[in-house]
Amino acid sequence: MHTDIETSPLRPVPVAAQAVGQRPVEPKIDLLPIGRRAYGLLITLLYIFLLLPILIIVFASFSPDQRNTYALSNASLHWYREFFASNNFTSAFQFSLWLALVAAVLATIIGFITAYGIVRFTGRGRNLAQSLVMLPMMVPHILISLSLLLLLTVLPLMELSALIIGHVLICLPFTIAGIIASLEGVDPDLEAAAWTLGAPRWRVLIEVTLPLIAPGVLSALIFAFIISFGDVYIALFLSGPGVTTLPVEIFSYIQWESSPVIAAITTLQIVLIVLFGLFVERLVGLRTAMRL
Amino acid sequence: MIRDPEARTGAFASILLSPITVLYLLFLLAPISYFLAVSFFKYSPAELFIPGFTTENYSRLLFDSYYRNVIYSTFRIAAVVTLISLVFAYALAYFLARMTSGWRSLLMFLIVAPLMTGIIVRTYGWIVLLGSDGLINRLMMLVGLVDSPAALLHREGTVIVALVHIMLPYMVFPIFSSLTSQDPHLVPAASTLGARPLRAFLEVTLPLSRSGIVMGSALVFTLTAGSVVTPQLLGGRDVTMMGQTIYNLVLSTFNWPLGAAVAALLVLTQFLVISLYFRKTRGAH
């Protein structure tokens, strides 16, 4: 459509030709000499690359024998039975669920208070405050974990509380960012109106603000749960015998052998995570939840 | 009389921000500072470390060829992973930013889903895929490329492939946001002025997505340099990175001061990379 303009660059641009308010037509993706087909192929291959290592686990979990095979014809649930029979793995699974729930609730509460403070009550210092609360993301998680382990030698702190604190720390940047994103969508005039009508601040918060951002808060909670549940770096140093999280239990197991029982456990984990992820997507959309 | 809701802003901000301040000071900044101070302490097999001041841990990192190699290979692997992820992630982010159909949210979800499963699951996926009776080996034997299963694990290349797989989503999202925040009229404007698609891309789209590129690269570089689990499981003894070295020094040799020195070096690099990011992105706006 631009050909006549290209051949005579002096002709005025036909503004009226484009309907007002309509998104302009974007050029086709012909970046490189290889063209659209090659680009499409590259994208397809990248998706296969991203998903294959995860899908292969699901197949391997139905393997009929010790090897990680993927024969669909003689699929068996043997390794799932093995998992439920193994005390080590089931207790680690339960402990991980419990820990992730506790850490996610704490991180969401602190994250909400912090996000509300940043969005509504910081003036010029807002950008600084917003980057400072992201601190746990900038520091390598292995260092957070080691420092907390070192702290245990100084403070009379329980190992379990150090583990919870570590998980809360790594979840906080995500809950704060998610809740800030939802708070920005709330018109501050609504709060001001309630406030002018005589409601005290805490009542404004509970009766006006919180209901408006409930989906964002819930998705922050789920997101924190997912992060805590999948963490291996914090728990690597802070979980002791008897209180081991699932990822650490799997890590120490597959250092010595690889058996389809791990595939069965991770498949259950994948199903859980995907369900949660779809739920977050329904609530607020993953993009909002992940905004950093 | 209507009171100004913003009147006591400062006081409320400090009340609301005090929990996180206490939490970060007590459990993040103080212990990390103490841990980094340990890197100047003396190693003692009986008590882990003896408070004091010595630079011998750092001189060991610089002059012992073993540690020098570990540092070198860590940065080499991190750089290669960052570069490969950047190219692939740009292709994906550009594709997602340009598509308008309802498939977009599904395709975005397929990029986030691996991210959510955790590092251990993704690393395990590569073990299953590349093991001696894994899919790749079977395919290679089927087409007659090899006679017996090739040892694909315990190689630097394998570690790099798996790390690219793990890091790719972290690179896609910053680039995607910088692409979608661009004014959609710019590229049509450039082509109206006679720029061919490739030139419009190189001179408009690419420079404007610089903040996403720098942010994603800083994130991927630092995450890769600090990784432990993936190089440990896929690289074994043949590929050693700084994260693994810290892990082994602290949990097997109990040499806390040397482990702390390696960690300090890691944080220093991180700090340099991130400050580079802030300088570069400030220039972009």
Side-chain angles (χ1 to χ4, degrees):
Chain A
M1 66 173 282
H2 298 298
T3 40
D4 56 341
I5 300 164
E6 273 168 20
T7 46
S8 56
L10 290 178
R11 241 174 80 171
V13 183
V15 181
Q18 241 166 39
V20 182
Q22 216 174 41
R23 210 158 180 263
V25 181
E26 287 175 11
K28 293 190 177 94
I29 314 167
D30 269 333
L31 299 181
L32 305 163
I34 50 172
R36 302 191 72 170
R37 198 162 286 176
Y39 184 59
L41 185 68
L42 174 69
I43 296 297
T44 314
L45 287 175
L46 282 175
Y47 270 99
I48 292 173
F49 172 70
L50 268 173
L51 297 172
L52 189 63
I54 292 164
L55 292 177
I56 210 78
I57 296 175
V58 181
F59 279 106
S61 74
F62 298 109
S63 159
D65 52 37
Q66 180 63 42
R67 301 176 309 154
N68 285 311
T69 44
Y70 337 95
L72 279 176
S73 51
N74 48 359
S76 96
L77 289 174
H78 175 76
W79 300 104
Y80 288 89
R81 282 194 292 270
E82 188 100 327
F83 161 60
F84 285 111
S86 125
N87 220 337
N88 276 356
F89 285 123
T90 45
S91 63
F93 199 90
Q94 278 168 5
F95 179 68
S96 271
L97 286 174
W98 178 86
L99 177 69
L101 191 66
V102 172
V105 169
L106 288 173
T108 308
I109 293 170
I110 303 171
F112 175 72
I113 297 169
T114 310
Y116 193 69
I118 288 177
V119 171
R120 290 284 181 262
F121 298 103
T122 49
R124 267 174 296 168
R126 180 177 163 169
N127 279 339
L128 182 69
Q130 211 165 335
S131 15
L132 279 180
V133 295
M134 294 294 146
L135 208 60
M137 224 174 58
M138 314 280 184
V139 185
H141 288 176
I142 179 176
L143 183 63
I144 299 179
S145 184
L146 279 169
S147 310
L148 287 171
L149 183 61
L150 184 65
L151 194 70
L152 289 178
T153 64
V154 189
L155 288 182
L157 208 67
M158 266 174 40
E159 214 161 67
L160 181 62
S161 50
L163 189 56
I164 294 173
I165 291 168
H167 272 212
V168 170
L169 283 176
I170 58 162
C171 293
L172 270 170
F174 295 92
T175 56
I176 295 172
I179 297 175
I180 283 182
S182 342
L183 274 175
E184 278 170 345
V186 175
D187 187 353
D189 286 349
L190 288 175
E191 290 177 4
W195 196 85
T196 320
L197 292 171
R201 259 188 214 284
W202 60 267
R203 230 184 123 188
V204 176
L205 186 65
I206 291 170
E207 292 189 15
V208 179
T209 319
L210 210 49
L212 284 171
I213 60 161
V217 174
L218 189 57
S219 81
L221 183 85
I222 294 171
F223 216 59
F225 180 90
I226 290 172
I227 287 162
S228 169
F229 193 79
D231 160 80
V232 60
Y233 286 114
I234 299 294
L236 202 53
F237 294 95
L238 294 175
S239 63
V243 280
T244 312
T245 66
L246 189 61
V248 173
E249 187 74 30
I250 295 175
F251 175 64
S252 35
Y253 185 89
I254 52 182
Q255 274 191 291
W256 308 112
E257 59 177 311
S258 156
S259 128
V261 70
I262 300 292
I265 303 169
T266 33
T267 302
L268 293 175
Q269 200 178 329
I270 292 166
V271 171
L272 187 78
I273 299 290
V274 167
L275 288 178
F276 278 154
L278 287 171
F279 195 51
V280 172
E281 173 69 35
R282 287 294 299 270
L283 278 174
V284 290
L286 279 167
R287 264 188 80 198
T288 323
M290 290 209 30
R291 228 174 79 168
L292 295 175
Chain B
M1 192 184 99
I2 297 175
R3 286 171 295 163
D4 176 16
E6 301 294 319
R8 293 200 305 156
T9 286
F12 267 107
S14 44
I15 292 169
L16 290 170
L17 296 184
S18 56
I20 202 152
T21 312
V22 172
L23 193 71
Y24 279 12
L25 282 178
L26 208 61
F27 297 114
L28 195 67
L29 295 175
I32 286 176
S33 317
Y34 183 40
F35 187 77
L36 295 181
V38 169
S39 71
F40 292 103
F41 290 178
K42 251 187 160 32
Y43 167 56
S44 148
E47 302 158 72
L48 301 179
F49 50 81
I50 306 166
F53 181 82
T54 172
T55 51
E56 78 180 54
N57 299 310
Y58 288 97
S59 55
R60 196 158 160 206
L61 289 188
L62 289 179
F63 298 117
D64 187 324
S65 67
Y66 174 76
Y67 291 106
R68 238 186 7 223
N69 265 333
V70 168
I71 295 166
Y72 172 63
S73 67
T74 302
F75 292 147
R76 188 186 58 226
I77 291 174
V80 171
V81 169
T82 308
L83 209 68
I84 299 174
S85 311
L86 178 60
V87 174
F88 288 166
Y90 207 103
L92 279 169
Y94 190 83
F95 169 75
L96 287 170
R98 280 297 165 92
M99 75 180 299
T100 42
S101 72
W103 288 91
R104 183 153 109 173
S105 67
L106 176 72
L107 289 171
M108 302 241 328
F109 180 73
L110 290 181
I111 290 182
V112 190
L115 188 70
M116 292 192 299
T117 57
I119 288 171
I120 200 86
V121 170
R122 283 173 286 167
T123 305
Y124 179 65
W126 285 101
I127 294 177
V128 175
L129 207 52
L130 299 175
S132 54
D133 41 41
L135 182 67
I136 303 292
N137 256 320
R138 291 174 156 226
L139 282 179
M140 288 204 303
M141 278 160 74
L142 201 70
V143 294
L145 215 61
V146 285
D147 299 326
S148 55
L152 298 170
L153 301 170
H154 306 283
R155 285 188 184 187
E156 189 175 301
T158 310
V159 176
I160 290 176
V161 169
L163 282 170
V164 167
H165 177 250
I166 290 168
M167 299 301 162
L168 209 51
Y170 293 103
M171 189 75 98
V172 171
F173 283 94
I175 297 176
F176 176 80
S177 342
S178 69
L179 284 174
T180 44
S181 61
Q182 283 176 24
D183 188 340
H185 299 86
L186 285 174
V187 169
S191 45
T192 314
L193 294 169
R196 290 186 189 285
L198 180 62
R199 198 166 157 214
F201 173 76
L202 289 177
E203 291 189 17
V204 179
T205 313
L206 192 62
L208 283 174
S209 56
R210 193 171 72 175
S211 69
I213 291 174
V214 180
M215 163 95 182
S217 307
L219 202 62
V220 168
F221 187 88
T222 55
L223 283 175
T224 308
S227 54
V228 180
V229 170
T230 311
Q232 180 84 13
L233 292 177
L234 294 176
R237 254 182 232 120
D238 305 319
V239 186
T240 314
M241 292 175 69
M242 280 158 84
Q244 274 164 290
T245 308
I246 300 171
Y247 174 74
N248 289 325
L249 279 172
V250 169
L251 285 191
S252 321
T253 336
F254 298 106
N255 191 341
W256 280 70
L258 194 59
V262 181
L265 205 62
L266 199 60
V267 178
L268 187 73
T269 320
Q270 207 112 334
F271 179 76
L272 288 175
V273 172
I274 287 171
S275 57
L276 192 77
Y277 153 68
F278 275 114
R279 228 186 3 194
K280 285 278 179 190
T281 44
R282 205 175 300 144
H285 292 305

